[in-house]
């Protein structure tokens, strides 16, 4: 599912624990064997963010392709 969204706009929702949730949109810029990277649209973020596939399987990171 992550590989199908490569180079496309996605919405990311990250559960940081203790009722803290971070939501943003960006472009899924890289898909690698152990992790994937997202380049956020917001200028407040510095650089890219990287997540492992286990984060997606555990439910702490949710990604959704935007139209």
């Amino acid at each position: 599912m992550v590989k199908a969204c490569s180079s496309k706009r996605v919405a990311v929702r990250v559960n940081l624990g203790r009722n803290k949730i971070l939501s943003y949109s960006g472009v899924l810029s890289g898909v690698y064997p152990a992790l994937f990277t997202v380049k956020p649209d917001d200028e407040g973020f510095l650089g890219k963010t990287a997540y492992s596939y286990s984060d997606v399987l555990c439910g702490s990171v949710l990604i959704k392709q935007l139209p």
Side-chain angles (χ1 to χ4, degrees):
M1 194 257 317
V2 174
K3 194 171 191 177
C5 296
S6 181
S7 300
K8 297 181 181 172
R9 288 187 40 81
V10 292
V12 180
R13 185 173 183 213
V14 183
N15 185 355
L16 299 172
R18 294 191 179 232
N19 296 326
K20 296 177 188 169
I21 296 176
L22 175 66
S23 298
Y24 64 91
S25 63
V27 176
L28 202 145
S29 57
V31 177
Y32 303 102
L35 55 94
F36 61 95
T37 59
V38 179
K39 185 173 189 293
D41 293 336
D42 188 15
E43 297 296 327
F45 283 89
L46 299 175
K48 298 178 185 177
T49 56
Y51 303 104
S52 67
Y53 298 111
S54 63
D55 294 335
V56 176
L57 290 174
C58 291
S60 60
V61 175
L62 301 172
I63 61 169
K64 180 179 170 185
Q65 186 176 348
L66 295 175

